[in-house]
Amino acid sequence: MGAYQEKKTTCGTVCMKYLLFTFNFLFWLAGGAVMAVGIWTVAAKSDYISLLSSRIYAVSAYILILAGVIVMVTGVLGCCATFKEQRRLLRVYFVLLLCIFLLEILAGVLAYIYYQQLNEELKNNLKETMVQKYRQADQDHVTKAVDKLQQEFKCCGSKNSSDWTESVWIHSGDAQGRTVPDSCCKTQTELCGKRDHPSNIYKVEGGCITKLEMFIMEHLKIIGAVGVGIASVQIIGMIFTCCLYRSLKSEPY
């Protein structure tokens, strides 16, 4: 009876080991995906971050990058802990899983909070950023972001093209008679911004605010979904780890 019980327990441990190993492999792949989403958000879309007064959007992405790196390291540690059957390593692995879980939940919560306040922030700050900082000294990142925004989303100004009448740059000699930046033009050429007729420049209802808000909201949904989704999967990993830990603890030496 005792030999049967030992064999049964050992078989259960082996099954749990392979389940946890499979989870760790998938978890390692998920870590790469999480890190990729964070890097993509920061690197590929970093120009628009300079147009936002809050840093929550960027922070959420950086948290995902950090979580992704830790996930990939933790996945390797989890495989080692599983096959070496060391309870100490399993404890460290469990703690790391818990930390990553909290980090990803935090990224998801930050994304949700910022999602709620994004419209108000853009209304209050985008126009001021565009008219006060465009083409000004030490504001090349803002100039680049505004030009990219207007060309990529085919819009002009914060709410409409008339916002540029308040621009510091437009009222300076540097504008060379332009009424809007050349990036407002449907066909961008040097000094095309002198003519602000609808046939020449973009006259989009809602201006760039609407376009940028929709763009960032879509990215926040992705950040939130990835963070909360991977965190939910980790619960399974923590359950497997606890089961294996208890199984090893109960086995005879």
Side-chain angles (χ1 to χ4, degrees):
M1 183 69 180
Y4 172 76
Q5 183 64 35
E6 182 178 338
K7 181 180 179 182
K8 182 179 178 181
T9 304
T10 303
C11 288
T13 301
V14 170
C15 290
M16 192 57 62
K17 279 172 61 177
Y18 281 101
L19 280 173
L20 191 55
F21 176 80
T22 302
F23 169 81
N24 277 312
F25 177 71
L26 296 175
F27 190 51
W28 184 83
L29 293 178
V34 168
M35 186 170 62
V37 169
I39 292 173
W40 170 65
T41 301
V42 172
K45 310 300 175 183
S46 60
D47 290 336
Y48 297 139
I49 294 175
S50 63
L51 299 177
L52 305 173
S53 59
S54 172
R55 290 288 172 257
I56 296 178
Y57 178 65
V59 167
S60 298
Y62 284 123
I63 288 175
L64 281 187
I65 294 173
L66 176 62
V69 171
I70 298 175
V71 162
M72 297 186 78
V73 173
T74 302
V76 175
L77 175 63
C79 290
C80 293
T82 300
F83 279 100
K84 288 187 176 182
E85 298 186 7
Q86 292 187 7
R87 294 202 299 272
R88 184 176 297 176
L89 277 178
L90 283 173
R91 285 198 296 268
V92 174
Y93 174 65
F94 181 86
V95 170
L96 286 174
L97 277 182
L98 184 60
C99 290
I100 298 165
F101 175 81
L102 295 175
L103 273 176
E104 288 171 338
I105 288 292
L106 177 61
V109 169
L110 285 175
Y112 176 78
I113 291 172
Y114 193 54
Y115 184 90
Q116 302 300 311
Q117 69 183 49
L118 178 61
N119 180 267
E120 197 62 31
E121 178 186 328
L122 289 177
K123 283 181 180 177
N124 293 336
N125 298 292
L126 184 59
K127 179 180 176 180
E128 182 179 354
T129 298
M130 293 174 82
V131 301
Q132 295 294 330
K133 296 183 179 180
Y134 185 78
R135 295 275 183 162
Q136 299 305 298
D138 300 322
Q139 297 295 335
D140 289 344
H141 59 295
V142 172
T143 300
K144 181 182 177 183
V146 170
D147 285 338
K148 182 178 178 180
L149 175 68
Q150 295 188 143
Q151 278 291 297
E152 188 170 325
F153 293 122
K154 304 183 187 307
C155 57
C156 184
S158 177
K159 291 182 179 178
N160 51 61
S161 59
S162 63
D163 289 337
W164 287 109
T165 59
E166 302 175 37
S167 169
V168 173
W169 175 68
I170 290 294
H171 290 290
S172 71
D174 296 335
Q176 297 180 290
R178 293 178 178 89
T179 56
V180 294
D182 292 341
S183 56
C184 281
C185 299
K186 294 178 179 178
T187 302
Q188 189 174 352
T189 57
E190 186 69 19
L191 298 177
C192 66
K194 285 186 173 183
R195 182 169 171 265
D196 63 353
H197 191 272
S199 63
N200 184 50
I201 68 169
Y202 295 114
K203 295 279 189 178
V204 180
E205 185 177 348
C208 292
I209 277 185
T210 304
K211 298 284 189 177
L212 184 57
E213 182 181 8
M214 290 174 60
F215 169 81
I216 293 177
M217 280 186 170
E218 287 301 314
H219 281 255
L220 288 174
K221 287 179 183 177
I222 294 172
I223 291 174
V226 168
V228 175
I230 299 297
S232 300
V233 172
Q234 285 175 236
I235 295 174
I236 300 173
M238 288 189 279
I239 293 172
F240 284 165
T241 304
C242 288
C243 291
L244 179 59
Y245 182 84
R246 292 187 63 176
S247 177
L248 292 174
K249 191 174 182 179
S250 64
E251 285 192 1
Y253 290 97

